[in-house]
Amino acid sequence: MPIIYSSDSGTSDDGVIISMSAVSWAGARDASAGGYVQDGFSGYSAATAATRMSGRRGGTTYSVNRSFFCFDTSSITSTVSSATIKVRGYLNNSGSVIAVKSTAFGGDGGTDLAVGDFDAISGYSAGSSLGSSATTYGGPIGSWSASGYNTFTGTSDLLADMQNNDVVIICLMDYGYDYKNVALTSNNTFYCGLYFAEASSSSNDPQIDYTLATAGYVHNVTGVAAANIGKVNGVATANIGKVIGLS
């Protein structure tokens, strides 16, 4: 099965955008821009996060972290039959994570990750759950591994975008609070850590493992287009590579 890795160089370097120290949940979660971008680390312990904590003088502050990845899929032109997004965990696993489609990096991988990409999620809706609006690529994963690979089974949207688009951009975000837009009502931290493409070994890199569909026999038979033929001599065309030795 072929594997593609998240970019770790140029303008589409993966990373985390952090929206922090807001005095309300909406101020952190629904911000149009994060406070800063964190990249360049091989691993980050709060790659996805939803937190509430005591601030100065008895106040309360909220923070939300989201991670973004860009995969070059320009070489894929045929049907993708299956795919898994695999991300190795790092240190923390106190939350749940979902993978959604993003328009960060300029939407085409051509710009650096920027604070303004914080809400660059296809179908993003401020003030409400993303359950009926965002495009899900995989998950959620409720039991995040802090050391092994976490595997998201790719949705049909991911498979189609891998075939049709030159890049696939993924946001990993907290599922239980951020994605669902559920405000924390008591002080708590929900962190999940992961390795980024800067990891010293490719075995730790975020990756998509995929399989292409078998093309089958695609030629006309006695003047009938292959698209209109289900079987040849009782054999499904998807199972035919050659007829009388000819491909």
Side-chain angles (χ1 to χ4, degrees):
M1 297 171 68
I3 296 175
I4 51 177
Y5 295 94
S6 174
S7 174
D8 66 349
S9 61
T11 56
S12 53
D13 187 15
D14 56 17
V16 185
I17 303 178
I18 298 171
S19 173
M20 64 182 300
S21 301
V23 297
S24 68
W25 169 251
R29 191 263 182 181
D30 293 326
S32 59
Y36 64 96
V37 173
Q38 180 69 68
D39 62 7
F41 285 158
S42 62
Y44 193 66
S45 60
T48 67
T51 70
R52 169 181 157 153
M53 63 187 67
S54 296
R56 295 179 179 179
R57 299 183 180 181
T60 300
T61 61
Y62 299 83
S63 299
V64 172
N65 299 1
R66 298 169 184 160
S67 292
F68 296 83
F69 308 84
C70 185
F71 294 87
D72 183 352
T73 54
S74 59
S75 64
I76 302 173
T77 57
S78 57
T79 301
V80 180
S81 62
S82 65
T84 55
I85 305 166
K86 299 175 68 176
V87 181
R88 187 174 289 279
Y90 179 77
L91 293 181
N92 288 332
N93 64 343
S94 60
S96 54
V97 182
I98 191 169
V100 296
K101 181 177 181 176
S102 171
T103 56
F105 307 107
D108 60 1
T111 64
D112 288 322
L113 188 65
V115 292
D117 288 331
F118 184 67
D119 63 353
I121 295 169
S122 298
Y124 186 81
S125 178
S128 61
S129 170
L130 302 185
S132 61
S133 58
T135 300
T136 301
Y137 274 164
I141 294 177
S143 298
W144 188 258
S145 171
S147 57
Y149 262 112
N150 297 277
T151 300
F152 299 85
T153 300
T155 63
S156 59
D157 288 307
L158 174 62
L159 306 188
D161 285 349
M162 289 176 66
Q163 176 186 352
N164 298 325
N165 300 336
D166 287 339
V167 297
V168 162
I169 301 171
I170 298 173
C171 171
L172 295 186
M173 62 191 304
D174 173 83
Y175 175 70
Y177 297 91
D178 185 9
Y179 178 87
K180 291 184 174 181
N181 190 34
V182 175
L184 282 76
T185 57
S186 60
N187 291 347
N188 213 330
T189 60
F190 294 93
Y191 293 149
C192 287
L194 59 88
Y195 281 97
F196 290 85
E198 288 79 7
S200 58
S201 170
S202 62
S203 64
N204 290 328
D205 287 350
Q207 60 189 252
I208 298 177
D209 193 345
Y210 67 97
T211 300
L212 297 178
T214 302
Y217 191 73
V218 296
H219 298 291
N220 294 354
V221 176
T222 61
V224 179
N228 298 320
I229 300 171
K231 296 180 179 181
V232 176
N233 289 337
V235 180
T237 54
N239 298 322
I240 298 173
K242 297 180 179 181
V243 174
I244 318 177
L246 300 177
S247 58

